Amino acid sequence: MSNPADTPERRSFYNKIDPDHLTPLWSVLSDLVTKEPGSGCVPYLWHYPIVREYLLEAGELISAKEAERRVLILENPGLRGQSRITSSLYAGLQLVKPGEVAPAHRHTQSALRFVIEGSGAHTAVGGEKTRMEAGDFVITPSWEWHDHGNESDQPMIWLDGLDIPMVQFFDASFAEMLEQDEQPLTRPEGDSMARYGEGLLPVDYTQGTPTSPVFNYPYERTREALEALRQQQQWDICHGLKMRYINPVSGDYAMPTIGTFMQLLPVGFTTESYRSTDATVFVIVEGQGKSVIGDTECEWKPHDIFVVPSWFPVSHIALSDAVLFSYSDRPVQKKLGLWRESRG
Amino acid sequence: MSNPADTPERRSFYNKIDPDHLTPLWSVLSDLVTKEPGSGCVPYLWHYPIVREYLLEAGELISAKEAERRVLILENPGLRGQSRITSSLYAGLQLVKPGEVAPAHRHTQSALRFVIEGSGAHTAVGGEKTRMEAGDFVITPSWEWHDHGNESDQPMIWLDGLDIPMVQFFDASFAEMLEQDEQPLTRPEGDSMARYGEGLLPVDYTQGTPTSPVFNYPYERTREALEALRQQQQWDICHGLKMRYINPVSGDYAMPTIGTFMQLLPVGFTTESYRSTDATVFVIVEGQGKSVIGDTECEWKPHDIFVVPSWFPVSHIALSDAVLFSYSDRPVQKKLGLWRESRG
Amino acid sequence: MSNPADTPERRSFYNKIDPDHLTPLWSVLSDLVTKEPGSGCVPYLWHYPIVREYLLEAGELISAKEAERRVLILENPGLRGQSRITSSLYAGLQLVKPGEVAPAHRHTQSALRFVIEGSGAHTAVGGEKTRMEAGDFVITPSWEWHDHGNESDQPMIWLDGLDIPMVQFFDASFAEMLEQDEQPLTRPEGDSMARYGEGLLPVDYTQGTPTSPVFNYPYERTREALEALRQQQQWDICHGLKMRYINPVSGDYAMPTIGTFMQLLPVGFTTESYRSTDATVFVIVEGQGKSVIGDTECEWKPHDIFVVPSWFPVSHIALSDAVLFSYSDRPVQKKLGLWRESRG
Amino acid sequence: MSNPADTPERRSFYNKIDPDHLTPLWSVLSDLVTKEPGSGCVPYLWHYPIVREYLLEAGELISAKEAERRVLILENPGLRGQSRITSSLYAGLQLVKPGEVAPAHRHTQSALRFVIEGSGAHTAVGGEKTRMEAGDFVITPSWEWHDHGNESDQPMIWLDGLDIPMVQFFDASFAEMLEQDEQPLTRPEGDSMARYGEGLLPVDYTQGTPTSPVFNYPYERTREALEALRQQQQWDICHGLKMRYINPVSGDYAMPTIGTFMQLLPVGFTTESYRSTDATVFVIVEGQGKSVIGDTECEWKPHDIFVVPSWFPVSHIALSDAVLFSYSDRPVQKKLGLWRESRG
């Protein structure tokens, strides 16, 4: 699949049609319709201690309020200047210091927060506050007001995963600020979980948006589930024990644009090579080990973050019991009929 | 809508066509296509202490093993001899005494168990055992092997709700006994809840049958959810606070043929009149009060069971904080486009 | 699976509990939960010429208007007095004479009309009239006003298939007469087909009820499709070439409670034995042959109607090219997780 | 929503963190999360006679076989060098001359063909050939082998609409050539339409991919449907009479990544202003008129092609009866919860 030769005659034709906003397909076809995925996205690991130090330094340079969100974007080295960690997704680390508020706004972009360190800061969504602990997976759905605050006495750091490039690509971004920094609270803490997350739904409930109405999946609960399942010792050769977060009112992914996963690898476990078309961002929750991504080897410790590009083979080795959170655009690729995987 | 007169000429015609298995529609139309629902099903309440005494007496007359299931069927007074509590559903109270086993079998009929009293007996389904406590809602899905046993030192009593009349109506009953009394256990206790009920699913899970893979919805969890929601004090004028049990992998009802509900009425609350086409069986979990069903008034205490026929107006009065479990054929009527309700 | 013996002691206990509307499960269990389907429904064939003659005679005895619907019900010989052709479905043959009107009414029961003979009578539904020809499959959906009339100069006869027993069973019947005999027409003929049946939908259309908005599936179109497919000569060993009618806005069955099918058997074709849990009513559209249903052999000619009960093995032999229309409760059994089939 | 000032101290910090592939969100936030859609995509109209002349000239410069596909890409003037007509979609005009073959290949990209002129060339998909006529909408689904040929004696020109940018964005492109130029034919012409497009489906059919198995929607049929609906004179103030093509086995859009529409505007009709987040490509099938897109006015005649960017207000004026085909990424935006529209 190479493009036809560009003869002088052809080149002159290309120049002639150019002012009419026409381009010959045959001169670009092999770049447009490639035999295999091949964006510029590359494997990379961010060591948490380094990013953390910079983030605390940023905490001295700018307030959460002035920054609107005090975040360092993790930019894929192959996609610099584009605010992307994969071709379709964004990642950043956010710091909220004691007493700070990240003011209320809303936007069509969906966000996940995965808590890295700290305890007791909160996110408010839809009139309800949730207190965040390390390992919690928190959602701020598309077009819902949300604000964050930190009433604890320690800095709080979490990973933001958003579909910013996707919304940009589909040219569908809307955003606005709330007039107050904090939205009014109308529901007690824990209301969403009780209403939608305990195996029941209000008798006349009908689903509105595709995003899960449960907006905090506490790590305590997730970790206990993994531990219970480990007893049965059904390890997947490529994934160990891997679960996906779901929207309990539909069984779909918790978010329409981002798939989120939690995975347990027992000490000594080495996964077989696996690849899929959804480039994936991993966050180490517990344990240490290494991952081989194509030709790149990444050693990891708690809180490190690494990215596996589309269709790169990956295998993991757990040097201690390890828990990995990850996210990708898999729900979108599945809906569009694009997703593929290959095992072994 | 009254049927046309039966003249002698017509009657003679009817007799002539009868041997060819033909019947004139116009002579039966008004009974077949009625202006409003009108089966023989009537309102009725069973006082638990009375049934309980009989059930214990049955415990002396026949063993669980000989009976296969030692159950007293609650037959609707308007449908005697048909083993139905409503036109489409069955209800019975089952007793398993300490040390007994109700042997393993399977059938296309789906069953719910709602635990009335006792603690520590178990149901085994799909290679997993679950320990049952009062207030738990337990499912034995269509065509899954299931057996019950009681290792505690007290009799255990639960309500069985089945779709027996429905499977009979659709002429789709299959059943078989397992060769052993107890099925082999292949999964640790709690496995289903950890795997499907904590906001996650195995990464490659695909839904098989429509029944929830979580087969015990513990009362402890349900009761806590009701208590949390009560803080917001959003009381429905017809239902108080009413939730439906769901299949977490789809958000549908937990069972394809039977809808199950749990409802909290705070002390002093009187509901407005309500009616719907799904005749409903209520079990009092906590509290006391009364319900007016058409012209019938039923006073209730814990563990009493009563039935509200299709399209009968019902209102409840809670004389103390009351918790009511209920079930009906609502999921089926909704799928068939038949379900109606009317408020106030 | 036989029921335990009824000792005198037990019998006395049964008598004691009877006034409290209680029945021992163990005395009826083997009848309720059977090893295989076993309703009273039996195989039977109605010869069209016989029924037709009776129907014309009925045409002299009562007017369409007085009868509301002038129909002879085909009652399964095993279910006499119940107005059923299978345990869940109804069948009747309706006659509308030239100039007659079957007045407008509506009911929760869904109806299919399969046209047997005549040409040019009409059904009106939802403000639109459709002209009916032999072989057309016409739907009058649940709770839609519908009336029939015959402006041609010949009697028109069609088969009515309804879910009357089902609606009765779920105790959800509602019905009313329109004040006029004929509903006002608000849409031109052919509107529904153009709007929903040509591979397009109105841009902002959202599905309301589960029934197909296309309410006439003309035989001309169906027959041509069968003929086109026959060229590929992919004959199913149990079915020949069998298609199911669909709701084009969802791909589901055309009606939520009744599945409808059209099937072509080329001359000489003998199907292998097949059984399924949905008892099925067949109408011969073209051709002649015979069907063996369990131990019963039915020879058929055009317009004959026969019934295959649940789980009876059936095979067909086509003595000429044959086209068979059929209907059953399959969509319901599939939604409830009850449907089974067995081939060969 | 303006970004915070870049002080020297901050700039020095940005430089320091840059080598670790980190970027401050606050310096780019207002470009990433915009108040309203704002890609570079601009309104533009291509006059068919001009493009046609170039295309015929290309026909002299390169063969269909050498080019693989002889296509001139319509590049949005605001997105030059990116082979896109909107931010997510591709458009090109393809010429196949008498006797030529565009050789068989397959790729994950989905394609629509909308036939502009000529008659009798064919597309083969899934072992079936379909003959193409002006106005036909033809689909080559993701990963299906497809080839085109022209056995007529006239050049054939159609519009290709593909999701190339989308597949590129999600980094999920796979492609391969078949060893022969033309795939083997295994099904007679018309098989797909008879099998899936006439209100029936094979009795045991289950949906595989999300794309419609009907792969040619003939203009003759579409045009007749529009004409029938016009009789009712229900004109939408923003759209006239607008229909979307559907997959008859699901009622979804005919393709998972591209929505396709056909619309009739009667002579003299002026639509009210409308905008939506799915940038849309229009092809004039019949008639003439003009469209106002934001501040840009486009006069159009048959076969002209114009593009309306996301969230640009558009209104149309029909100077004669006009028929417009259009396509956009609406199905994707709807699945992702991103789609918005605004009327008037």
Side-chain angles (χ1 to χ4, degrees), chain C residues 213-245:
Chain C
V214 171
F215 70 102
N216 188 346
Y217 293 73
Y219 186 55
E220 191 184 355
R221 197 160 157 172
T222 304
R223 191 66 182 84
E224 268 174 29
L226 290 177
E227 208 58 36
L229 293 175
R230 143 186 248 169
Q231 291 173 47
Q232 204 185 337
Q233 303 206 321
Q234 282 183 331
W235 304 103
D236 180 285
I237 55 165
C238 291
H239 302 306
L241 173 59
K242 187 167 184 180
M243 308 286 285
R244 64 176 176 88
Y245 289 92

mmCIF file of all heavy atoms in Angstrom, chain C residues 213-245:
data_model
loop_
_atom_site.group_PDB
_atom_site.id
_atom_site.type_symbol
_atom_site.label_atom_id
_atom_site.label_comp_id
_atom_site.label_asym_id
_atom_site.label_seq_id
_atom_site.Cartn_x
_atom_site.Cartn_y
_atom_site.Cartn_z
ATOM 1 N N PRO C 213 -45.268 0.479 13.985
ATOM 2 C CA PRO C 213 -46.138 1.524 13.440
ATOM 3 C C PRO C 213 -46.566 1.238 11.992
ATOM 4 O O PRO C 213 -47.478 1.881 11.493
ATOM 5 C CB PRO C 213 -45.269 2.783 13.523
ATOM 6 C CG PRO C 213 -43.868 2.292 13.492
ATOM 7 C CD PRO C 213 -43.879 0.931 14.125
ATOM 8 N N VAL C 214 -45.881 0.301 11.344
ATOM 9 C CA VAL C 214 -46.367 -0.170 10.035
ATOM 10 C C VAL C 214 -47.470 -1.171 10.342
ATOM 11 O O VAL C 214 -47.224 -2.155 11.047
ATOM 12 C CB VAL C 214 -45.246 -0.879 9.257
ATOM 13 C CG1 VAL C 214 -45.796 -1.545 8.006
ATOM 14 C CG2 VAL C 214 -44.142 0.100 8.899
ATOM 15 N N PHE C 215 -48.682 -0.945 9.862
ATOM 16 C CA PHE C 215 -49.745 -1.862 10.292
ATOM 17 C C PHE C 215 -50.308 -2.744 9.185
ATOM 18 O O PHE C 215 -51.195 -3.543 9.429
ATOM 19 C CB PHE C 215 -50.828 -1.128 11.088
ATOM 20 C CG PHE C 215 -51.684 -0.190 10.298
ATOM 21 C CD1 PHE C 215 -52.964 -0.564 9.909
ATOM 22 C CD2 PHE C 215 -51.230 1.067 9.955
ATOM 23 C CE1 PHE C 215 -53.768 0.291 9.187
ATOM 24 C CE2 PHE C 215 -52.031 1.940 9.246
ATOM 25 C CZ PHE C 215 -53.294 1.552 8.846
ATOM 26 N N ASN C 216 -49.768 -2.626 8.002
ATOM 27 C CA ASN C 216 -50.104 -3.601 6.957
ATOM 28 C C ASN C 216 -48.819 -4.053 6.274
ATOM 29 O O ASN C 216 -48.083 -3.238 5.713
ATOM 30 C CB ASN C 216 -51.066 -3.004 5.923
ATOM 31 C CG ASN C 216 -51.575 -4.073 4.951
ATOM 32 O OD1 ASN C 216 -51.037 -5.180 4.882
ATOM 33 N ND2 ASN C 216 -52.613 -3.748 4.195
ATOM 34 N N TYR C 217 -48.540 -5.332 6.340
ATOM 35 C CA TYR C 217 -47.415 -5.932 5.633
ATOM 36 C C TYR C 217 -47.997 -6.659 4.435
ATOM 37 O O TYR C 217 -48.463 -7.793 4.554
ATOM 38 C CB TYR C 217 -46.680 -6.920 6.544
ATOM 39 C CG TYR C 217 -45.977 -6.285 7.725
ATOM 40 C CD1 TYR C 217 -46.698 -5.801 8.810
ATOM 41 C CD2 TYR C 217 -44.593 -6.159 7.765
ATOM 42 C CE1 TYR C 217 -46.059 -5.213 9.901
ATOM 43 C CE2 TYR C 217 -43.941 -5.576 8.852
ATOM 44 C CZ TYR C 217 -44.691 -5.110 9.906
ATOM 45 O OH TYR C 217 -44.052 -4.524 10.975
ATOM 46 N N PRO C 218 -47.992 -6.007 3.262
ATOM 47 C CA PRO C 218 -48.691 -6.575 2.101
ATOM 48 C C PRO C 218 -48.059 -7.884 1.639
ATOM 49 O O PRO C 218 -46.842 -8.019 1.606
ATOM 50 C CB PRO C 218 -48.527 -5.502 1.018
ATOM 51 C CG PRO C 218 -47.911 -4.323 1.664
ATOM 52 C CD PRO C 218 -47.313 -4.754 2.949
ATOM 53 N N TYR C 219 -48.919 -8.806 1.265
ATOM 54 C CA TYR C 219 -48.439 -10.117 0.820
ATOM 55 C C TYR C 219 -47.572 -9.993 -0.421
ATOM 56 O O TYR C 219 -46.578 -10.716 -0.574
ATOM 57 C CB TYR C 219 -49.628 -11.031 0.526
ATOM 58 C CG TYR C 219 -49.210 -12.446 0.199
ATOM 59 C CD1 TYR C 219 -48.411 -13.167 1.080
ATOM 60 C CD2 TYR C 219 -49.615 -13.061 -0.975
ATOM 61 C CE1 TYR C 219 -48.029 -14.474 0.793
ATOM 62 C CE2 TYR C 219 -49.239 -14.370 -1.267
ATOM 63 C CZ TYR C 219 -48.441 -15.068 -0.387
ATOM 64 O OH TYR C 219 -48.055 -16.350 -0.661
ATOM 65 N N GLU C 220 -47.908 -9.060 -1.277
ATOM 66 C CA GLU C 220 -47.159 -8.898 -2.521
ATOM 67 C C GLU C 220 -45.662 -8.731 -2.211
ATOM 68 O O GLU C 220 -44.808 -9.368 -2.826
ATOM 69 C CB GLU C 220 -47.681 -7.666 -3.264
ATOM 70 C CG GLU C 220 -47.145 -7.564 -4.669
ATOM 71 C CD GLU C 220 -47.615 -6.281 -5.353
ATOM 72 O OE1 GLU C 220 -48.424 -5.539 -4.751
ATOM 73 O OE2 GLU C 220 -47.144 -6.022 -6.478
ATOM 74 N N ARG C 221 -45.384 -7.870 -1.252
ATOM 75 C CA ARG C 221 -44.001 -7.583 -0.890
ATOM 76 C C ARG C 221 -43.345 -8.793 -0.207
ATOM 77 O O ARG C 221 -42.203 -9.147 -0.504
ATOM 78 C CB ARG C 221 -44.040 -6.369 0.045
ATOM 79 C CG ARG C 221 -42.753 -5.667 0.221
ATOM 80 C CD ARG C 221 -43.029 -4.250 0.730
ATOM 81 N NE ARG C 221 -41.846 -3.734 1.411
ATOM 82 C CZ ARG C 221 -41.718 -2.490 1.829
ATOM 83 N NH1 ARG C 221 -42.725 -1.619 1.666
ATOM 84 N NH2 ARG C 221 -40.629 -2.074 2.434
ATOM 85 N N THR C 222 -44.082 -9.406 0.691
ATOM 86 C CA THR C 222 -43.548 -10.569 1.412
ATOM 87 C C THR C 222 -43.255 -11.710 0.446
ATOM 88 O O THR C 222 -42.205 -12.357 0.512
ATOM 89 C CB THR C 222 -44.581 -11.038 2.453
ATOM 90 O OG1 THR C 222 -44.905 -9.935 3.307
ATOM 91 C CG2 THR C 222 -44.054 -12.195 3.276
ATOM 92 N N ARG C 223 -44.182 -11.942 -0.449
ATOM 93 C CA ARG C 223 -44.036 -13.055 -1.391
ATOM 94 C C ARG C 223 -42.850 -12.851 -2.307
ATOM 95 O O ARG C 223 -42.112 -13.807 -2.609
ATOM 96 C CB ARG C 223 -45.329 -13.179 -2.214
ATOM 97 C CG ARG C 223 -45.439 -14.433 -3.045
ATOM 98 C CD ARG C 223 -45.536 -15.659 -2.157
ATOM 99 N NE ARG C 223 -45.601 -16.910 -2.912
ATOM 100 C CZ ARG C 223 -44.528 -17.557 -3.375
ATOM 101 N NH1 ARG C 223 -43.320 -17.061 -3.177
ATOM 102 N NH2 ARG C 223 -44.664 -18.695 -4.038
ATOM 103 N N GLU C 224 -42.651 -11.608 -2.743
ATOM 104 C CA GLU C 224 -41.494 -11.305 -3.597
ATOM 105 C C GLU C 224 -40.184 -11.535 -2.857
ATOM 106 O O GLU C 224 -39.210 -12.012 -3.435
ATOM 107 C CB GLU C 224 -41.550 -9.846 -4.059
ATOM 108 C CG GLU C 224 -42.263 -9.680 -5.378
ATOM 109 C CD GLU C 224 -42.439 -8.213 -5.741
ATOM 110 O OE1 GLU C 224 -41.591 -7.381 -5.328
ATOM 111 O OE2 GLU C 224 -43.437 -7.888 -6.420
ATOM 112 N N ALA C 225 -40.162 -11.151 -1.597
ATOM 113 C CA ALA C 225 -38.941 -11.367 -0.806
ATOM 114 C C ALA C 225 -38.639 -12.858 -0.708
ATOM 115 O O ALA C 225 -37.500 -13.291 -0.907
ATOM 116 C CB ALA C 225 -39.095 -10.754 0.581
ATOM 117 N N LEU C 226 -39.648 -13.665 -0.429
ATOM 118 C CA LEU C 226 -39.439 -15.124 -0.350
ATOM 119 C C LEU C 226 -38.899 -15.659 -1.670
ATOM 120 O O LEU C 226 -37.984 -16.484 -1.703
ATOM 121 C CB LEU C 226 -40.753 -15.842 -0.011
ATOM 122 C CG LEU C 226 -41.319 -15.656 1.391
ATOM 123 C CD1 LEU C 226 -42.656 -16.381 1.509
ATOM 124 C CD2 LEU C 226 -40.359 -16.150 2.465
ATOM 125 N N GLU C 227 -39.464 -15.175 -2.755
ATOM 126 C CA GLU C 227 -39.054 -15.661 -4.077
ATOM 127 C C GLU C 227 -37.604 -15.283 -4.361
ATOM 128 O O GLU C 227 -36.841 -16.085 -4.918
ATOM 129 C CB GLU C 227 -40.002 -15.088 -5.141
ATOM 130 C CG GLU C 227 -40.136 -15.951 -6.367
ATOM 131 C CD GLU C 227 -40.633 -17.372 -6.089
ATOM 132 O OE1 GLU C 227 -41.473 -17.554 -5.184
ATOM 133 O OE2 GLU C 227 -40.146 -18.300 -6.769
ATOM 134 N N ALA C 228 -37.235 -14.067 -3.967
ATOM 135 C CA ALA C 228 -35.850 -13.632 -4.182
ATOM 136 C C ALA C 228 -34.893 -14.495 -3.366
ATOM 137 O O ALA C 228 -33.837 -14.914 -3.844
ATOM 138 C CB ALA C 228 -35.693 -12.156 -3.791
ATOM 139 N N LEU C 229 -35.260 -14.781 -2.140
ATOM 140 C CA LEU C 229 -34.360 -15.543 -1.268
ATOM 141 C C LEU C 229 -34.238 -16.993 -1.703
ATOM 142 O O LEU C 229 -33.209 -17.632 -1.512
ATOM 143 C CB LEU C 229 -34.855 -15.466 0.176
ATOM 144 C CG LEU C 229 -34.747 -14.061 0.760
ATOM 145 C CD1 LEU C 229 -35.364 -14.011 2.136
ATOM 146 C CD2 LEU C 229 -33.269 -13.647 0.815
ATOM 147 N N ARG C 230 -35.286 -17.493 -2.282
ATOM 148 C CA ARG C 230 -35.279 -18.878 -2.745
ATOM 149 C C ARG C 230 -34.174 -19.115 -3.771
ATOM 150 O O ARG C 230 -33.674 -20.232 -3.904
ATOM 151 C CB ARG C 230 -36.648 -19.158 -3.361
ATOM 152 C CG ARG C 230 -36.648 -20.024 -4.563
ATOM 153 C CD ARG C 230 -38.029 -20.094 -5.138
ATOM 154 N NE ARG C 230 -38.500 -21.448 -4.953
ATOM 155 C CZ ARG C 230 -39.731 -21.841 -5.133
ATOM 156 N NH1 ARG C 230 -40.659 -20.964 -5.454
ATOM 157 N NH2 ARG C 230 -40.065 -23.088 -4.976
ATOM 158 N N GLN C 231 -33.784 -18.060 -4.494
ATOM 159 C CA GLN C 231 -32.715 -18.216 -5.480
ATOM 160 C C GLN C 231 -31.427 -18.709 -4.862
ATOM 161 O O GLN C 231 -30.608 -19.332 -5.490
ATOM 162 C CB GLN C 231 -32.429 -16.879 -6.167
ATOM 163 C CG GLN C 231 -33.545 -16.403 -7.063
ATOM 164 C CD GLN C 231 -33.246 -15.009 -7.565
ATOM 165 O OE1 GLN C 231 -32.147 -14.738 -8.006
ATOM 166 N NE2 GLN C 231 -34.222 -14.127 -7.471
ATOM 167 N N GLN C 232 -31.217 -18.343 -3.581
ATOM 168 C CA GLN C 232 -29.962 -18.755 -2.981
ATOM 169 C C GLN C 232 -30.026 -20.186 -2.471
ATOM 170 O O GLN C 232 -29.009 -20.779 -2.130
ATOM 171 C CB GLN C 232 -29.569 -17.791 -1.868
ATOM 172 C CG GLN C 232 -28.065 -17.830 -1.652
ATOM 173 C CD GLN C 232 -27.658 -16.996 -0.491
ATOM 174 O OE1 GLN C 232 -28.364 -16.074 -0.093
ATOM 175 N NE2 GLN C 232 -26.519 -17.302 0.091
ATOM 176 N N GLN C 233 -31.229 -20.726 -2.404
ATOM 177 C CA GLN C 233 -31.419 -22.133 -2.044
ATOM 178 C C GLN C 233 -30.750 -22.519 -0.736
ATOM 179 O O GLN C 233 -30.091 -23.551 -0.624
ATOM 180 C CB GLN C 233 -30.915 -23.026 -3.174
ATOM 181 C CG GLN C 233 -31.618 -22.714 -4.485
ATOM 182 C CD GLN C 233 -31.643 -23.902 -5.401
ATOM 183 O OE1 GLN C 233 -30.695 -24.646 -5.504
ATOM 184 N NE2 GLN C 233 -32.779 -24.102 -6.056
ATOM 185 N N GLN C 234 -30.881 -21.654 0.260
ATOM 186 C CA GLN C 234 -30.431 -22.021 1.600
ATOM 187 C C GLN C 234 -31.626 -22.522 2.373
ATOM 188 O O GLN C 234 -32.315 -21.743 3.038
ATOM 189 C CB GLN C 234 -29.877 -20.801 2.337
ATOM 190 C CG GLN C 234 -28.477 -20.407 1.935
ATOM 191 C CD GLN C 234 -27.995 -19.245 2.782
ATOM 192 O OE1 GLN C 234 -28.781 -18.431 3.253
ATOM 193 N NE2 GLN C 234 -26.698 -19.157 2.988
ATOM 194 N N TRP C 235 -31.898 -23.804 2.321
ATOM 195 C CA TRP C 235 -33.081 -24.331 2.991
ATOM 196 C C TRP C 235 -32.710 -24.834 4.372
ATOM 197 O O TRP C 235 -31.772 -25.603 4.544
ATOM 198 C CB TRP C 235 -33.702 -25.458 2.156
ATOM 199 C CG TRP C 235 -34.028 -25.000 0.773
ATOM 200 C CD1 TRP C 235 -33.329 -25.253 -0.362
ATOM 201 C CD2 TRP C 235 -35.139 -24.176 0.381
ATOM 202 N NE1 TRP C 235 -33.929 -24.637 -1.443
ATOM 203 C CE2 TRP C 235 -35.043 -23.973 -1.015
ATOM 204 C CE3 TRP C 235 -36.206 -23.594 1.073
ATOM 205 C CZ2 TRP C 235 -35.963 -23.216 -1.727
ATOM 206 C CZ3 TRP C 235 -37.129 -22.839 0.369
ATOM 207 C CH2 TRP C 235 -36.999 -22.651 -1.017
ATOM 208 N N ASP C 236 -33.437 -24.367 5.364
ATOM 209 C CA ASP C 236 -33.241 -24.872 6.729
ATOM 210 C C ASP C 236 -33.908 -26.240 6.817
ATOM 211 O O ASP C 236 -35.052 -26.397 6.380
ATOM 212 C CB ASP C 236 -33.883 -23.882 7.717
ATOM 213 C CG ASP C 236 -33.718 -24.321 9.152
ATOM 214 O OD1 ASP C 236 -34.436 -25.267 9.578
ATOM 215 O OD2 ASP C 236 -32.883 -23.743 9.851
ATOM 216 N N ILE C 237 -33.219 -27.206 7.409
ATOM 217 C CA ILE C 237 -33.779 -28.570 7.401
ATOM 218 C C ILE C 237 -35.086 -28.671 8.186
ATOM 219 O O ILE C 237 -35.913 -29.527 7.899
ATOM 220 C CB ILE C 237 -32.784 -29.637 7.930
ATOM 221 C CG1 ILE C 237 -32.288 -29.261 9.332
ATOM 222 C CG2 ILE C 237 -31.612 -29.830 6.973
ATOM 223 C CD1 ILE C 237 -31.598 -30.404 10.054
ATOM 224 N N CYS C 238 -35.289 -27.800 9.139
ATOM 225 C CA CYS C 238 -36.534 -27.849 9.926
ATOM 226 C C CYS C 238 -37.595 -26.875 9.441
ATOM 227 O O CYS C 238 -38.775 -27.033 9.787
ATOM 228 C CB CYS C 238 -36.247 -27.558 11.393
ATOM 229 S SG CYS C 238 -35.330 -28.863 12.208
ATOM 230 N N HIS C 239 -37.204 -25.849 8.692
ATOM 231 C CA HIS C 239 -38.149 -24.764 8.411
ATOM 232 C C HIS C 239 -38.282 -24.423 6.928
ATOM 233 O O HIS C 239 -39.131 -23.613 6.575
ATOM 234 C CB HIS C 239 -37.717 -23.479 9.136
ATOM 235 C CG HIS C 239 -37.601 -23.613 10.609
ATOM 236 N ND1 HIS C 239 -38.622 -24.087 11.387
ATOM 237 C CD2 HIS C 239 -36.577 -23.326 11.459
ATOM 238 C CE1 HIS C 239 -38.238 -24.085 12.654
ATOM 239 N NE2 HIS C 239 -37.006 -23.641 12.724
ATOM 240 N N GLY C 240 -37.430 -24.992 6.070
ATOM 241 C CA GLY C 240 -37.408 -24.504 4.697
ATOM 242 C C GLY C 240 -36.839 -23.099 4.727
ATOM 243 O O GLY C 240 -35.739 -22.880 5.238
ATOM 244 N N LEU C 241 -37.596 -22.156 4.234
ATOM 245 C CA LEU C 241 -37.180 -20.753 4.277
ATOM 246 C C LEU C 241 -38.198 -20.039 5.157
ATOM 247 O O LEU C 241 -39.356 -19.866 4.759
ATOM 248 C CB LEU C 241 -37.192 -20.181 2.855
ATOM 249 C CG LEU C 241 -36.938 -18.700 2.694
ATOM 250 C CD1 LEU C 241 -35.581 -18.287 3.250
ATOM 251 C CD2 LEU C 241 -37.016 -18.326 1.220
ATOM 252 N N LYS C 242 -37.765 -19.674 6.371
ATOM 253 C CA LYS C 242 -38.728 -19.107 7.314
ATOM 254 C C LYS C 242 -38.268 -17.737 7.790
ATOM 255 O O LYS C 242 -37.140 -17.556 8.235
ATOM 256 C CB LYS C 242 -38.902 -20.037 8.519
ATOM 257 C CG LYS C 242 -40.021 -19.605 9.459
ATOM 258 C CD LYS C 242 -40.376 -20.694 10.465
ATOM 259 C CE LYS C 242 -41.563 -20.277 11.329
ATOM 260 N NZ LYS C 242 -41.916 -21.325 12.313
ATOM 261 N N MET C 243 -39.170 -16.782 7.697
ATOM 262 C CA MET C 243 -38.876 -15.396 8.064
ATOM 263 C C MET C 243 -39.833 -14.978 9.181
ATOM 264 O O MET C 243 -40.949 -15.465 9.262
ATOM 265 C CB MET C 243 -39.113 -14.479 6.861
ATOM 266 C CG MET C 243 -38.404 -14.884 5.569
ATOM 267 S SD MET C 243 -36.633 -14.570 5.598
ATOM 268 C CE MET C 243 -36.614 -12.785 5.384
ATOM 269 N N ARG C 244 -39.361 -14.034 10.018
ATOM 270 C CA ARG C 244 -40.289 -13.464 11.001
ATOM 271 C C ARG C 244 -40.547 -12.005 10.648
ATOM 272 O O ARG C 244 -39.645 -11.285 10.210
ATOM 273 C CB ARG C 244 -39.764 -13.598 12.423
ATOM 274 C CG ARG C 244 -38.491 -12.854 12.731
ATOM 275 C CD ARG C 244 -38.139 -13.002 14.214
ATOM 276 N NE ARG C 244 -36.879 -12.371 14.520
ATOM 277 C CZ ARG C 244 -36.744 -11.090 14.870
ATOM 278 N NH1 ARG C 244 -37.789 -10.310 14.998
ATOM 279 N NH2 ARG C 244 -35.542 -10.567 15.094
ATOM 280 N N TYR C 245 -41.779 -11.585 10.825
ATOM 281 C CA TYR C 245 -42.123 -10.183 10.612
ATOM 282 C C TYR C 245 -41.509 -9.339 11.728
ATOM 283 O O TYR C 245 -41.534 -9.741 12.892
ATOM 284 C CB TYR C 245 -43.640 -10.000 10.633
ATOM 285 C CG TYR C 245 -44.366 -10.558 9.440
ATOM 286 C CD1 TYR C 245 -44.857 -11.848 9.437
ATOM 287 C CD2 TYR C 245 -44.569 -9.772 8.299
ATOM 288 C CE1 TYR C 245 -45.550 -12.364 8.338
ATOM 289 C CE2 TYR C 245 -45.254 -10.279 7.191
ATOM 290 C CZ TYR C 245 -45.739 -11.573 7.226
ATOM 291 O OH TYR C 245 -46.419 -12.065 6.136
#
